[in-house]
Amino acid sequence: MSETEVTTAPRPLLLADGRPADRAWSLDPGMKHLNHGSFGAVPLQAQERQELLRVEMERSPVVWFPALPQRIAATRVDLAAFLRVAADDLAVVPNASAGASVVFAALDRVRGGEIVVTDHGYGAVTMGAERLARRWGGRVRTAEVPLDANEEQAYEAVCAELGDDTDLVVVDQITSATARRMPVERIGAEAHRRGIPMLVDGAHAPGLLAAPLAGATYDFWVGNLHKWGCAPRGTAALIARGPLRDRLYPLIDSWGAADPYPDRFDQQGTIDATACLAAPTALDFVERTWGWTAARDYMSELADYGAHVIGTAFAELTGRDSRVDVGLPVPGMRLVRLPEGLGTGRVEADALRDRAAAELGVEAAFTSFGGTGYLRLSAHVYNTAADYEYFAEECVPVLGEWARTAREQHRAP
């Protein structure tokens, strides 16, 4: 939970014309959308902008594609301004995992081929690190960071795994499964001191953090603009600084291959880049309507309220405290502990997500860490207190029954 638990519902955000904020999105009204953090949701203005761009592309593709690199380069300036970085440091990639793959493909073994990750790492990126370690003939070392670790404890846990054989460090800035921050600035400074390259997986950072790269000394950073930034899906940024960035190439070789970084990423054959070009429309929509600072404050208050309401409902049902201390909480995301028997592993948590959508009409994120299942709340501006009150009243009792059945099945011979 955050330092101050919000027990009073925050007032819903409204559009400039007084309508509810969710009217600016095309979300299914038959679903409760409590999982913005997984794939994001795109405002209608950005959807309409992307559709206009697609019409333009299809009407005259021979004109569209030769001119596309210049348009992407101009868009990079807007995206860099939002992230508060230099445009020449930013390359556009489809998602954070693609950006990580670009980095993995570029690096060579220099020392012993070891890669340090954490047990909070995003699974797909960790798989990429494992594949790179196999290619190097090295191994992956996993830093075990307690869920409630403070900054010093998390920093010490990661740095304890660094050694003379370490060739790369990969750490999430905001963890996906556990909804907490990692002290990547301090870890990056130590890795830099030791001459070890560092990749920061900032998939959730754009939009949740005002300046996710402020004071950073790490070599590579990747972040999705299609999550909290609400850009059309397939829009992410790769930020690279220092001499190693000249080794980065897009995963597809195209006619820009001879260009310097990041220009070579602006031309990738016939890829549909309309999501990237429409991204500034989404970012500007939130800024013009509420301002990103006010939006983040609302998301945090609402997530705290949601965690309180749902956590209280689970506690009344199970007799156990469902509150979760994640050590370094972040805006807009909270964890609530599930009843015993639910979400005990990633596969089980994903199955629970699918079942909740099909049977309860709720899009929610269920995660697992250390054998314990959690409900991960992801609040955005279109959410209201009523969303979480509905979940507490209608879904918590059903989840309690599902948990009871799962425990009985586990005990059965």
Side-chain angles (χ1 to χ4, degrees):
M1 299 292 289
S2 62
E3 293 182 1
T4 303
E5 184 177 281
V6 176
T7 58
T8 303
R11 183 173 298 176
L13 292 182
L14 301 175
L15 299 173
D17 59 8
R19 292 181 301 156
D22 65 350
R23 297 297 296 273
W25 275 261
S26 58
L27 296 166
D28 181 356
M31 295 283 286
K32 295 293 183 182
H33 301 273
L34 306 182
N35 185 19
H36 183 92
S38 283
F39 299 104
V42 184
L44 285 166
Q45 285 189 13
Q47 293 181 44
E48 292 162 358
R49 174 60 179 161
Q50 185 179 17
E51 185 56 33
L52 287 173
L53 290 166
R54 281 178 171 155
V55 169
E56 182 182 350
M57 174 176 65
E58 298 302 340
R59 288 181 64 180
S60 189
V62 177
V63 173
W64 171 270
F65 285 103
L68 186 56
Q70 289 74 31
R71 299 181 76 159
I72 294 177
T75 300
R76 283 197 284 110
V77 174
D78 295 332
L79 302 182
F82 177 73
L83 293 172
R84 304 184 189 181
V85 299
D88 287 344
D89 290 341
L90 186 152
V92 174
V93 290
N95 52 51
S97 298
S101 296
V102 165
V103 174
F104 293 154
L107 299 181
D108 293 327
R109 171 176 174 166
V110 177
R111 303 180 179 187
E114 288 189 352
I115 302 174
V116 172
V117 302
T118 79
D119 55 350
H120 296 252
Y122 186 65
V125 173
T126 298
M127 290 177 186
E130 292 169 344
R131 185 164 65 90
L132 175 59
R134 290 194 297 270
R135 176 162 65 86
W136 279 348
R139 64 168 180 159
V140 167
R141 296 178 63 94
T142 301
E144 296 183 356
V145 180
L147 180 60
D148 62 352
N150 61 27
E151 179 175 323
E152 184 66 26
Q153 292 167 332
Y155 167 78
E156 292 291 345
V158 175
C159 291
E161 299 299 327
L162 305 181
D164 293 339
D165 289 335
T166 307
D167 271 309
L168 179 65
V169 186
V170 183
V171 182
D172 292 51
Q173 188 167 28
I174 296 174
T175 62
S176 178
T178 51
R180 58 159 290 152
R181 182 172 58 83
M182 290 291 183
V184 292
E185 296 81 7
R186 288 189 63 189
I187 298 169
E190 177 60 18
H192 182 75
R193 187 186 71 81
R194 299 187 187 208
I196 302 170
M198 181 166 171
L199 165 64
V200 173
D201 182 352
H204 286 273
L208 278 190
L209 304 181
L213 288 99
T217 56
Y218 28 83
D219 305 85
F220 313 106
W221 178 96
V222 292
N224 289 324
L225 291 152
H226 59 235
K227 287 183 180 284
W228 302 93
C230 296
R233 276 163 285 282
T235 309
L238 164 62
I239 312 296
R241 297 166 173 165
L244 288 175
R245 77 181 198 159
D246 293 330
R247 304 180 64 174
L248 300 181
Y249 281 81
L251 299 178
I252 300 172
D253 285 325
S254 192
W255 290 103
D259 294 340
Y261 176 92
D263 299 352
R264 62 177 71 118
F265 284 77
D266 294 343
Q267 187 170 6
Q268 304 224 7
T270 54
I271 283 181
D272 183 349
T274 56
C276 161
L277 298 181
T281 301
L283 302 175
D284 291 345
F285 167 73
V286 175
E287 179 60 37
R288 284 185 290 100
T289 308
W290 303 286
W292 274 101
T293 299
R296 278 188 290 270
D297 289 345
Y298 174 75
M299 288 186 262
S300 292
E301 291 181 11
L302 185 57
D304 278 334
Y305 176 74
H308 168 72
V309 170
I310 295 172
T312 298
F314 274 128
E316 292 175 350
L317 184 72
T318 65
R320 299 177 57 191
D321 190 352
S322 294
R323 292 176 297 179
V324 182
D325 178 8
V326 297
L328 297 173
V330 296
M333 298 175 74
R334 296 291 177 264
L335 289 189
V336 177
R337 185 176 289 104
L338 292 172
E340 183 181 355
L342 293 181
T344 54
R346 183 185 66 83
V347 173
E348 292 78 7
D350 286 349
L352 191 58
R353 172 202 63 200
D354 297 341
R355 187 179 183 186
E359 299 183 28
L360 301 179
V362 173
E363 287 190 343
F366 296 92
T367 68
S368 177
F369 183 76
T372 298
Y374 299 95
L375 169 68
R376 189 196 73 189
L377 303 179
S378 302
H380 213 280
V381 294
Y382 55 78
N383 289 123
T384 68
D387 295 329
Y388 302 94
E389 292 163 353
Y390 174 88
F391 191 97
E393 295 170 7
E394 303 296 332
C395 301
V396 165
V398 178
L399 288 168
E401 284 299 310
W402 291 356
R404 182 183 61 80
T405 300
R407 293 193 298 269
E408 290 176 352
Q409 291 175 343
H410 180 72
R411 289 194 295 264

